[in-house]
Amino acid sequence: MKDREAVLLRPSLGRTLFFVAIAAMSLVAIDSTLAKTERLETAAQAARFYGEGQRLVRDGKYAAAAESFRSAIANARDNTEYPLALGRALLGAGQLEDAGTALAELLKADAMAGAPNLEMARVLAKQGQLEEAAFYYHRAIYGQWGQDANANRVATRFELADLLAKRNSKADLLAELLPLQDQASIDANTQKKLAGLYLTAGSPARAATILRDLVRAQPQDVEAHSGLGDAEFARADYAAAQSAFVAALRLSPNDTHVQSALELTDRVLILDPMRRGLSGQERYERSVHVLELVAAKIPQCITAAQATADADLINAVNAALKQRVAVPGQTDAVEANVDLANKLWQAERTTCASAVSPEDQPLQLVLAKAAQ
Amino acid sequence: MTATPRTLTSRLHSWIEELRHSENQLTLFLSLVVGVLVGLVTVAFILLTGRLAAHMYPAGGAGWRRILVPTLGSLFTGYLLVRYFPFARGSGIPQTKFALVVNDGNIKLRTIVGKLLCCSTSLASGIALGREGPSVQVGAGVASVIGRNAGLKVEQVKALIPVGCSAALAAAFNTPIAAVMFTLEEIMGDLHATVLGTAVLSSAASWMVLHFFLGDDPLFHVPAYRLVHPAELAVYAVLGVVGGLGSVAFVKLLLGMRARFLRLPARTVWMHPVAGGLLVGLLGYFFPDVMGVGYQYVDRVLNGDAVLKMAVLLGALKIVATATCYASGNAGGIFGPSLFIGAMMGAATGGVAHKLFPGVTADPGAYALVGMGTAFAGIIRTPFTSVIMIFELTRDYTIIVPLMISNAIAYFISQKLQHATIYQALAAQDGLHLPTHSHAPSGPGNVTLAMRTSPPMLPAQMSVEAAMRQMKDSELDAWPVATDRGLGGMIRRADLGKAIAAGSDGITLGSLLDDLSAGNPTLDEFPHIHPDHSLHVALERMGTSGLDVLPVVSRANVRQLMGIVALDDVLRVYRVLGRPSRTEPGEGALP
């Protein structure tokens, strides 16, 4: 009875559901068409804004470009290229906070995306937040890159290395260079850059190895010869440095850097009592000369810094000069003289605390080499 | 080969039969159907509006379009609204409540089509109104059409209306939870309404349809704001005050302007919307962000791209533009504009605070975000919905506590300075008396229990002496008076006596009623009660009006007398005067 009442109450349920189904299908068709049209139009609009922004970036109008990129984003929020472009434009415009915000949004969606991490690292580096910048550089290095992933990773690591070189963070820099040596391409420029960074990181031996190979491969490369000279000079192999500089100067006689480096190297070699191939007598005379040069600086220093002069230093000079006369044998005498000269030099550096003059540079280098 | 289709058909038939016999299954199934269909309709509405706008305002179009298009658009829709779709005017929320409470859940298909067509055109042309309110009416309409055509009972159709509302709002605002909250809080006026389950189901279904077609993109993209310092809560409280006052200003301006438009001759109604269109066009020529709903500009402000002067100016202009557009009879809602106005008020307040106390205050964007909810709470007066809605719109939970504080203050101020909610006031201007949450039935029952047939109405032209003679033998202390518009009010025996004692030569009941109601701004304010009111409300109104007899009138037309309620009848229901008489009160409950 109850069922019959229900049926009587709703005689048109089936028919209504049929019409509802027809209406729903029609609406699906309408919605699909409209949605597709809208998607196409907004994507085209976004692309127009993006193109305009790119043009403005090329013209150096970063602030205006950022506005165009914002409009592009508003039209196509799924596109990750647009927020990245916005971040770059804002970075270019010097709006670092806004750039950071834009990139942070992008990174929220994909924390390991390579390019946004790199841009974020650049923003933070510009803000002076170097620790944080290094963190994002590393995320960029180990993150996801669409095309040319290896090249991008190497370039990013080089950028980080440059930043660390500027900060003079030698240990950190060396830690970046070691993997770079395996990843970087073997082209000459990359190898020369790598060698330069090794020099900055305080690893001239590695730099010299790279450049020696390069010189062998490209004997006409002036920069390679010059770089090798610098590397050999840094590792105190002045004879090798001289050879490299001479080779470089032969290829490029007007290179002032090589000229001055060679001149300095020559002066060091003339002064160096430890240079290979010298006779015992010559070695001894050079050691005496070095001692005399250092000793001669003491009174100058005292005169120049009368306020800080003290009796202990004077006594040390006199004692040293007496020791010079009392040397028992020639070989020992060379070492003793050089050792004394080193002590005096250190004392002079401590007391005077002035910058080493260009004239004293060879002396300093000889003493440094002897101290090793 | 033919066995399979037969099986499917017969299965379908038996399933429909099953649905016919099971109330619960049918309700759930229809809720799902309504949710999907309303979602599809709302997506079509959104996309259609967008496509129309793209054609009306092509990229790089001339500035004069901003004046011409809204003017012509409002002229076109004004004609359509008067000629073909008279019930598609305005927001749609009061109309939906009217359908639910008074009209047995009846919304015509024609109204749905008219609403979609007129709103799409007017919103695309740049009219400063929103799509959310109209969507609610469309959603309710779809539910009504399906329910009625499926042969559901009136109560079942009425139960389907909130289902359509929540589905529509979920898709229009991309806020499925707030949609359900709004349906319960505003449409039903009861957070514990039994339709909660079906409303949630339809909301979820509609939201899924929206996501299928338009993707998962929030309406606004907001950076993660947070409370910078506990002292900032004081600034948010100030924002609550600003939002409350701004909301009241907006509502009063809108109602005031609408009252003036309603007083204009009926033959001019078709051209009223042009006033809104032209004003928006002129303002939009100089400030394009005033046009339309303005969500793009709100998005920019929320992201901190706000200039203090511009925020103040645009907030003020939007108030004027939206009030004019709505008051002049354009099709569109006030949800969206409320958010715009709130965002500007928030950005302005936050901008000032950030200048004065930069160390302890967040970016103005955070205040714009809270301001949106504040204005919504102040204008629409649904505080729970506004909190949830802001959370859903922005998907940011961190700003909720300041939002709650600001909302509560704005809501309190708005309630104090503007007694009726905007939807009640709008409905009242149209002669509809919608129920409020405070008047929900409570106690022993509603007025129908004590209602009795009214004595014949006394004509307004009747002299007081004649009226006194007619009332002399009646047990009733007051009688209804009929004017040319219908019920004019109640006249008490005591008032007649006083008039006669004071010398009543030539005084008619109509003039006496006018004298008695001199303190009231309109005659619509005469004391009355509706059949669904509780007896508590009847007693309260008898107490405040001094009448022992109240007219029971229709919610659809306050001048339509349905019966009367006398104090003795109410007391009988309360068993203060013994058991109620089954012959008198209640006899005339339904005319």
Side-chain angles (χ1 to χ4, degrees):
Chain A
M1 187 64 192
K2 196 179 171 187
D3 291 355
R4 196 177 296 165
E5 278 174 15
V7 174
L8 287 172
L9 268 171
R10 301 174 198 121
S12 52
L13 182 62
R15 195 187 60 193
T16 305
L17 291 180
F18 173 74
F19 281 117
V20 165
I22 297 288
M25 283 191 284
S26 309
L27 282 166
V28 166
I30 292 168
D31 287 355
S32 302
T33 310
L34 287 172
K36 191 180 171 188
T37 311
E38 175 143 313
R39 267 197 299 275
L40 288 173
E41 281 192 19
T42 50
Q45 179 85 342
R48 271 198 295 276
F49 280 120
Y50 181 67
E52 175 69 10
Q54 297 283 57
R55 190 185 61 74
L56 290 165
V57 165
R58 281 196 295 276
D59 294 347
K61 295 171 181 170
Y62 292 106
E67 282 308 306
S68 290
F69 291 137
R70 279 202 178 99
S71 301
I73 292 166
N75 280 282
R77 294 199 177 270
D78 293 342
N79 191 315
T80 53
E81 194 59 37
Y82 300 164
L84 186 62
L86 173 65
R88 283 179 182 144
L90 291 168
L91 179 63
Q95 298 172 27
L96 301 181
E97 242 177 68
D98 290 344
T101 307
L103 293 166
E105 281 295 308
L106 206 50
L107 288 169
K108 207 192 285 178
D110 183 4
M112 289 311 290
N117 272 303
L118 174 60
E119 295 303 328
M120 183 61 109
R122 286 171 177 164
V123 169
L124 291 165
K126 273 205 171 182
Q127 285 176 327
Q129 300 177 43
L130 301 176
E131 295 280 333
E132 290 82 354
F135 169 77
Y136 281 99
Y137 271 120
H138 280 130
R139 284 225 305 214
I141 290 164
Y142 298 110
Q144 306 294 323
W145 293 86
Q147 292 176 331
D148 303 327
N150 191 51
N152 281 319
R153 289 192 180 106
V154 169
T156 304
R157 207 186 277 278
F158 265 122
E159 195 172 315
L160 172 59
D162 283 337
L163 183 72
L164 293 169
K166 277 181 198 158
R167 282 176 66 191
N168 207 22
S169 306
K170 289 186 176 177
D172 292 339
L173 177 57
L174 196 56
E176 297 303 329
L177 294 177
L178 293 172
L180 256 184
Q181 199 169 350
D182 297 332
Q183 294 165 356
S185 62
I186 53 165
D187 72 273
N189 286 334
T190 307
Q191 292 297 317
K192 278 185 272 188
K193 185 171 182 183
L194 192 58
L197 287 166
Y198 265 128
L199 265 180
T200 310
S203 182
R206 285 194 173 86
T209 307
I210 292 169
L211 290 165
R212 239 178 262 126
D213 291 344
L214 194 59
V215 162
R216 265 196 294 277
Q218 300 186 350
Q220 300 303 310
D221 191 331
V222 181
E223 281 182 8
H225 283 290
S226 167
L228 179 58
D230 289 335
E232 298 290 18
F233 190 95
R235 56 194 287 260
D237 188 346
Y238 298 112
Q242 188 183 44
S243 303
F245 285 136
V246 166
L249 204 58
R250 200 179 300 130
L251 293 167
S252 175
N254 298 322
D255 191 324
T256 52
H257 164 72
V258 177
Q259 283 172 353
S260 59
L262 180 59
E263 188 191 335
L264 179 62
T265 310
D266 289 343
R267 286 170 62 197
V268 171
L269 286 171
I270 288 167
L271 204 59
D272 187 7
M274 304 299 184
R275 187 181 172 183
R276 282 181 190 168
L278 292 177
S279 65
Q281 182 61 33
E282 203 173 351
R283 206 179 285 274
Y284 175 72
E285 282 172 7
R286 283 192 179 199
S287 71
V288 171
H289 181 57
V290 166
L291 185 59
E292 280 173 346
L293 282 173
V294 178
K297 290 199 63 67
I298 298 299
Q300 288 171 20
C301 177
I302 291 164
T303 311
Q306 284 172 348
T308 57
D310 56 37
D312 290 345
L313 184 58
I314 305 293
N315 293 337
V317 173
N318 292 332
L321 288 172
K322 281 177 188 170
Q323 277 182 22
R324 174 195 169 198
V325 180
V327 287
Q330 215 171 54
T331 310
D332 291 343
V334 171
E335 285 178 6
N337 284 342
V338 172
D339 187 45
L340 182 60
N342 241 327
K343 281 178 184 168
L344 283 173
W345 177 259
Q346 292 306 325
E348 188 263 351
R349 290 284 85 211
T350 311
T351 307
C352 300
S354 59
V356 177
S357 66
E359 296 80 45
D360 292 338
Q361 222 174 342
L363 179 61
Q364 182 195 23
L365 291 167
V366 166
L367 291 172
K369 184 186 174 187
Q372 284 174 359
Chain B
M1 287 297 284
T2 54
T4 309
R6 262 190 215 136
T7 310
L8 281 174
T9 312
S10 62
R11 274 184 188 175
L12 196 64
H13 274 295
S14 63
W15 175 69
I16 290 174
E17 287 303 308
E18 215 173 292
L19 273 182
R20 278 183 176 142
H21 302 153
S22 168
E23 297 287 326
N24 289 340
Q25 273 191 36
L26 182 63
T27 306
L28 285 175
F29 176 72
L30 285 183
S31 301
L32 196 65
V33 168
V34 167
V36 171
L37 203 63
V38 170
L40 288 168
V41 171
T42 310
V43 168
F45 179 31
I46 293 168
L47 290 170
L48 185 65
T49 308
R51 294 298 78 227
L52 281 174
H55 285 96
M56 288 177 183
Y57 296 100
W64 55 262
R65 276 177 181 271
R66 296 203 291 273
I67 299 176
L68 193 66
V69 171
T71 308
L72 291 180
S74 55
L75 189 65
F76 174 64
T77 55
Y79 177 75
L80 287 181
L81 287 167
V82 169
R83 182 76 178 82
Y84 300 105
F85 314 112
F87 296 105
R89 195 176 283 269
S91 149
I93 306 286
Q95 291 86 339
T96 304
K97 289 178 78 173
F98 169 75
L100 181 66
V101 177
V102 180
N103 208 22
D104 292 341
N106 194 345
I107 299 174
K108 288 190 164 56
L109 182 62
R110 181 179 182 169
T111 302
I112 303 171
V113 173
K115 197 78 181 178
L116 283 173
L117 184 64
C118 294
C119 282
S120 293
T121 310
S122 71
L123 301 185
S125 71
I127 293 297
L129 295 172
R131 66 176 178 232
E132 294 78 16
S135 299
V136 169
Q137 191 185 6
V138 169
V142 169
S144 169
V145 169
I146 291 177
R148 282 183 288 118
N149 282 291
L152 299 188
K153 287 178 265 183
V154 169
E155 286 309 313
Q156 288 174 312
V157 173
K158 285 169 76 172
L160 219 48
I161 295 287
V163 169
C165 295
S166 66
L169 204 53
F173 241 160
N174 196 1
T175 55
I177 307 171
V180 175
M181 285 294 291
F182 179 80
T183 302
L184 299 183
E185 203 173 11
E186 177 61 34
I187 304 291
M188 302 298 289
D190 179 8
L191 286 171
H192 301 98
T194 51
V195 295
L196 175 64
T198 48
V200 167
L201 185 66
S202 69
S203 174
S206 171
W207 185 79
M208 282 165 67
V209 169
L210 175 80
H211 276 229
F212 179 77
F213 286 102
L214 301 181
D216 180 20
D217 205 19
L219 199 52
F220 301 113
H221 301 78
V222 187
Y225 288 121
R226 61 188 177 83
L227 195 67
V228 175
H229 190 275
E232 216 184 354
L233 288 176
V235 185
Y236 283 110
V238 172
L239 174 57
V241 175
V242 173
L245 294 174
S247 303
V248 173
F250 170 69
V251 172
K252 284 195 180 293
L253 179 67
L254 189 153
L255 292 174
M257 291 179 82
R258 191 161 186 266
R260 285 174 189 277
F261 273 108
L262 289 175
R263 280 202 286 273
L264 293 173
R267 65 178 181 280
T268 63
V269 170
W270 66 274
M271 65 167 78
H272 291 180
V274 177
L278 186 61
L279 179 79
V280 159
L282 291 171
L283 293 177
Y285 186 77
F286 299 102
F287 304 100
D289 292 312
V290 171
M291 299 183 80
V293 73
Y295 284 155
Q296 277 192 347
Y297 190 76
V298 171
D299 201 56
R300 282 172 57 190
V301 169
L302 290 176
N303 282 279
D305 187 11
V307 179
L308 180 60
K309 279 182 190 170
M310 204 60 183
V312 173
L313 187 65
L314 284 178
L317 291 180
K318 193 74 171 184
I319 286 176
V320 174
T322 302
T324 312
C325 286
Y326 193 98
S328 59
N330 281 287
I334 53 173
F335 271 39
S338 300
L339 297 184
F340 187 100
I341 292 163
M344 295 309 122
M345 288 195 293
T349 309
V352 172
H354 200 62
K355 271 190 181 170
L356 294 175
F357 317 107
V360 295
T361 54
D363 188 271
Y367 290 87
L369 176 60
V370 173
M372 290 201 309
T374 306
F376 197 85
I379 294 169
I380 312 292
R381 294 253 281 271
T382 51
F384 288 112
T385 303
S386 72
V387 171
I388 298 293
M389 189 184 64
I390 296 300
F391 167 57
E392 278 193 288
L393 283 177
T394 60
R395 301 179 188 180
D396 184 3
Y397 188 76
T398 52
I399 212 80
I400 288 293
V401 172
L403 179 65
M404 287 167 73
I405 291 171
S406 191
N407 274 14
I409 292 170
Y411 179 74
F412 177 76
I413 290 173
S414 174
Q415 207 175 28
K416 281 285 167 196
L417 300 180
Q418 166 71 34
H419 182 65
T421 68
I422 187 165
Y423 294 131
Q424 286 169 351
L426 288 169
Q429 284 185 335
D430 293 334
L432 309 174
H433 283 211
L434 298 178
T436 60
H437 181 51
S438 59
H439 292 157
S442 61
N446 61 22
V447 165
T448 52
L449 287 175
M451 188 170 144
R452 67 161 80 178
T453 311
S454 167
M457 287 200 277
L458 304 173
Q461 301 78 14
M462 184 184 265
S463 68
V464 291
E465 289 85 358
M468 189 60 142
R469 277 196 298 277
Q470 192 156 344
M471 287 175 68
K472 194 172 63 178
D473 298 327
S474 171
E475 59 168 339
L476 298 172
D477 186 47
W479 278 45
V481 177
T483 65
D484 53 351
R485 294 195 294 163
L487 179 66
M490 297 293 280
I491 196 80
R492 294 188 308 173
R493 206 197 307 263
D495 294 326
L496 292 176
K498 275 183 197 170
I500 292 167
S504 61
D505 289 348
I507 294 183
T508 62
L509 290 180
S511 57
L512 180 59
L513 268 183
D514 286 345
D515 291 345
L516 291 172
S517 61
N520 289 329
T522 68
L523 277 177
D524 287 345
E525 296 296 319
F526 65 81
H528 65 269
I529 196 110
H530 299 293
D532 59 312
H533 271 141
S534 73
L535 290 171
H536 285 167
V537 176
L539 286 174
E540 189 186 300
R541 292 204 174 163
M542 285 177 186
T544 51
S545 65
L547 284 168
D548 287 351
V549 182
L550 284 175
V552 181
V553 297
S554 163
R555 282 197 177 277
N557 181 4
V558 76
R559 297 188 179 281
Q560 184 189 334
L561 184 65
M562 299 173 78
I564 56 165
V565 168
L567 177 60
D568 288 354
D569 300 335
V570 177
L571 294 178
R572 277 195 196 97
V573 176
Y574 275 99
R575 296 173 189 273
V576 176
L577 291 180
R579 295 184 67 79
S581 159
R582 299 313 304 165
T583 52
E584 284 189 343
E587 197 176 53
L590 293 171

